[in-house]
Amino acid sequence: ARDEELWRLACVKVWGHSIGTLDAQDAENSTVYYSWRDMFIRRERVNFSGCYISKTTYLRMGENSFQDQFYRPVQLVEYYRYIRFMPDGKVLMMTSADEPSQGVTKIRNVHNIRPDVLRGRYRLFGDTVTLVLQKSSQSRATTGHVRQRRGSVMPLDEDSNATQFLIELRIGHSPKRRCAQLVWSHYTLVQKRNKVDTSSEFDLTDAKYPSLWFSPVKSYHLDADAPLV
């Protein structure tokens, strides 16, 4: 288990072509790693054996009653956001009112993605993970595969009318698990209409975009921990 080649392959699986070398400092945080095992343990990464989950709760005011103008109902809105990373550079994101016990099952099968799930690619830059996502569709699911280097961002749909979601998340830690937190740092919606791009940035308040926390999912285990070679 201490064999360096095993740990090097584990690092390649996580960081791909941007893995770097041991004898050079990490340009992002000036950290020196003394072995491949040391890099795998201390370097920021995303976890594959589960998904990151956040819960958003807010109050929404309803319309005044016709019978009683002084009565105005208040609605409690709750929903969850799920993000799942795969070792091959793919990422899935879904927003749903389903509790985590039901929500995680909807992104379990990576080969049969639901229409309400955003799919795309991610890349690690130090303690930041960048996501490029767009809505799933059957037409894209049945098209040919694009060959690419591991960890690079795959060009998504080239349709003249498309919507992409560009997200940056900062990786944090919990007292019990490293790399267990994702904090929103940037979120942009890019809409392409007739080859013209229009971008809109979301206001990332803690109330609307709380941090996501990693939760292990047993049913993801076989997909996530595939053989290294």
Side-chain angles (χ1 to χ4, degrees), residues 165-179:
F165 302 83
L166 310 180
I167 300 173
E168 286 187 4
L169 300 165
R170 181 173 51 82
I171 300 174
H173 312 288
S174 70
K176 296 183 178 180
R177 183 190 292 267
R178 283 184 54 81
C179 307

Side-chain angles (χ1 to χ4, degrees), residues 9 36 40 44 53 65 68-69 78 90 95-96 101 108 159 171 174 176 179 181 193 222 228:
L9 292 173
W36 295 113
F40 188 84
E44 279 78 8
I53 305 173
S65 172
D68 186 358
Q69 293 297 319
E78 292 183 352
K90 295 185 180 69
T95 302
S96 173
S101 57
R108 177 172 55 192
D159 188 1
I171 300 174
S174 70
K176 296 183 178 180
C179 307
Q181 182 187 27
R193 295 292 181 269
L222 295 178
L228 294 173

